[in-house]
């Protein structure tokens, strides 16, 4: 079981947490979209609303002096935002910076942070994160396709491409952190991938290369004969002779009746589908799950992040 801390957007709540007490943070803050969000009447979240517009009154001025002392270069960068994007954006980035500094404090050295943003301020927040977490600890810019539908039709020509994605910045606090980048196949995917079965009924797939291709270049140390087989090209095998024999004894490499080699991956040995940073398989929130709040994120998105960057018993902060 993972222990999740749900906090209000309040610096004093973060102040109350001990330093290095959290293993994973998922941060889905306001985007400074200059919009008012309200849950519709009749929904589970009816009556809830949020004004996503920012002024200097939203900044914790008591915390500004510490920010100036500890991060003078970052303060200069934030001040420069006013020239390009106005006072409202400067106030919003200051507001976010104060909270990100505190989140860095409460995060364990082995912990990770995921910041969910959109293009409104993502470019500014990336620089803030590079300063606070160190640019060397930036791991990924994850693109979540939150909408699979096309934009609404209009009698007027569109002036831009459709906006169907959000960005999630993934940072660790150090070079020592947990990450599981695989996911289990669903039933449809499993049946599609593991089409074949051996005499005992164990399902597997084939097509995994045994030899290195000619274009991969010469590898003299991998050029050898094994059980009467060898690569006709100097690129050699993909496995050492010891590994080949080990896989053969396990039944993962089979000499077929036609004299050819076949390499197999059995379902029971398959760790999962490797994930990349393009998340197109998690749809928008379903009607069954929806509370009616416009910016609510699907549980599947949070579950993926939690499974990827935390273990059972870890403390997860969801802001």
């Amino acid at each position: 079981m993972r222990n999740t801390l749900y906090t209000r957007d309040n610096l004093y709540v973060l102040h109350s947490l001990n330093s290095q007490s959290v293993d994973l943070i998922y941060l889905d803050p306001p985007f400074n979209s200059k919009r008012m969000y309200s849950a519709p009447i009749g929904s589970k979240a009816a009556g809830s609303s949020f004004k996503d517009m920012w002024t200097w009154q939203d900044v914790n001025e008591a915390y500004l002096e510490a920010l100036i002392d500890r991060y003078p270069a970052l303060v200069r960068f934030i001040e420069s935002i006013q020239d390009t994007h106005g006072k409202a954006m400067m106030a919003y980035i200051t507001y976010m910076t104060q909270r990100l500094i505190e989140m860095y404090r409460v995060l364990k050295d082995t912990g990770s942070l995921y910041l969910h943003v959109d293009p409104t301020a993502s470019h500014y927040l990336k620089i803030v994160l590079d300063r606070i977490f160190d640019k060397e600890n930036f791991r990924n810019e994850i693109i979540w396709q939150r909408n699979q539908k096309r934009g609404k039709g209009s009698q007027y020509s569109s002036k831009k491409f459709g906006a169907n994605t959000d960005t999630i910045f993934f940072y660790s606090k150090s070079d020592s952190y947990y990450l599981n980048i695989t996911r289990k196949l669903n039933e449809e995917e499993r049946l599609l991938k593991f089409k074949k079965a051996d005499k005992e009924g164990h399902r597997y797939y084939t097509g995994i290369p045994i030899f290195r291709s000619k274009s991969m270049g010469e590898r003299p140390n991998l050029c050898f004969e094994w059980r009467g087989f060898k690569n006709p090209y100097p690129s050699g095998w993909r496995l050492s002779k010891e590994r080949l024999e080990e896989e053969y004894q396990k039944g993962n490499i089979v000499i077929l009746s036609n004299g050819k080699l076949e390499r197999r991956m059995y379902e029971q040995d398959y760790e999962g589908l490797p994930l990349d940073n393009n998340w197109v398989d998690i749809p928008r929130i379903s009607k069954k799950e929806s509370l009616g709040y416009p910016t609510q994120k699907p549980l599947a998105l949070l579950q993926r992040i939690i499974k990827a960057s935390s273990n059972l018993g870890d403390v997860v902060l969801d802001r």
Side-chain angles (χ1 to χ4, degrees), residues 84-102:
T84 305
H85 221 122
K87 291 183 179 179
M89 181 62 76
M90 184 178 69
Y92 171 73
I93 297 300
T94 304
Y95 167 94
M96 287 297 302
T97 299
Q98 292 176 332
R99 283 144 184 82
L100 287 168
I101 289 172
E102 278 301 293

Side-chain angles (χ1 to χ4, degrees), residues 95-283:
Y95 167 94
M96 287 297 302
T97 299
Q98 292 176 332
R99 283 144 184 82
L100 287 168
I101 289 172
E102 278 301 293
M103 289 179 186
Y104 181 85
R105 179 186 65 81
V106 303
L107 194 64
K108 294 180 181 178
D109 288 340
T110 54
S112 299
L113 176 138
Y114 290 76
L115 173 60
H116 197 134
V117 294
D118 78 351
T120 307
S122 58
H123 46 304
Y124 294 134
L125 290 171
K126 173 70 168 59
I127 294 175
V128 171
L129 286 165
D130 282 346
R131 287 285 187 175
I132 297 172
F133 280 79
D134 194 313
K135 64 181 186 298
E136 301 301 323
N137 289 323
F138 168 66
R139 301 304 168 191
N140 280 107
E141 178 180 353
I142 298 165
I143 304 301
W144 172 47
Q145 185 175 320
R146 54 179 164 76
N147 189 359
Q148 286 77 33
K149 297 180 180 179
R150 295 182 179 180
K152 295 181 179 179
S154 172
Q155 59 179 318
Y156 303 106
S157 298
S158 178
K159 297 295 185 180
K160 64 177 183 178
F161 296 104
N164 291 333
T165 64
D166 282 352
T167 294
I168 302 173
F169 290 129
F170 166 35
Y171 280 77
S172 64
K173 192 171 181 179
S174 71
D175 197 42
S176 178
Y177 60 99
Y178 172 79
L179 182 63
N180 173 23
I181 59 170
T182 61
R183 72 168 178 84
K184 291 184 178 180
L185 301 178
N186 60 40
E187 185 66 13
E188 182 180 354
E189 291 171 327
R190 186 184 70 82
L191 294 174
L192 187 63
K193 191 172 189 68
F194 298 98
K195 296 178 180 179
K196 300 180 180 180
D198 60 19
K199 294 179 180 179
E200 288 75 32
H202 300 130
R203 302 178 67 88
Y204 65 91
Y205 72 86
T206 59
I208 311 168
I210 299 177
F211 294 118
R212 288 164 47 87
S213 66
K214 183 180 179 181
S215 63
M216 295 176 77
E218 297 183 10
R219 284 292 298 271
N221 63 314
L222 293 175
C223 294
F224 51 82
E225 184 174 316
W226 174 79
R227 292 185 174 268
F229 296 91
K230 64 178 181 180
N231 191 343
Y233 302 111
S235 48
W237 298 82
R238 286 182 177 262
L239 302 175
S240 67
K241 185 177 288 188
E242 293 74 21
R243 280 288 315 282
L244 281 168
E245 186 62 31
E246 181 183 336
E247 291 296 291
Y248 175 77
Q249 296 299 331
K250 289 180 178 178
N252 295 333
I253 293 179
V254 179
I255 301 176
L256 301 175
S257 58
N258 61 6
K260 295 183 178 181
L261 290 176
E262 181 178 81
R263 189 175 178 185
R264 300 176 177 178
M265 170 60 73
Y266 280 88
E267 186 176 7
Q268 61 264 29
D269 299 324
Y270 186 70
E271 294 182 356
L273 184 69
L275 292 168
D276 59 22
N277 69 329
N278 190 26
W279 293 1
V280 298
D281 59 321
I282 300 177

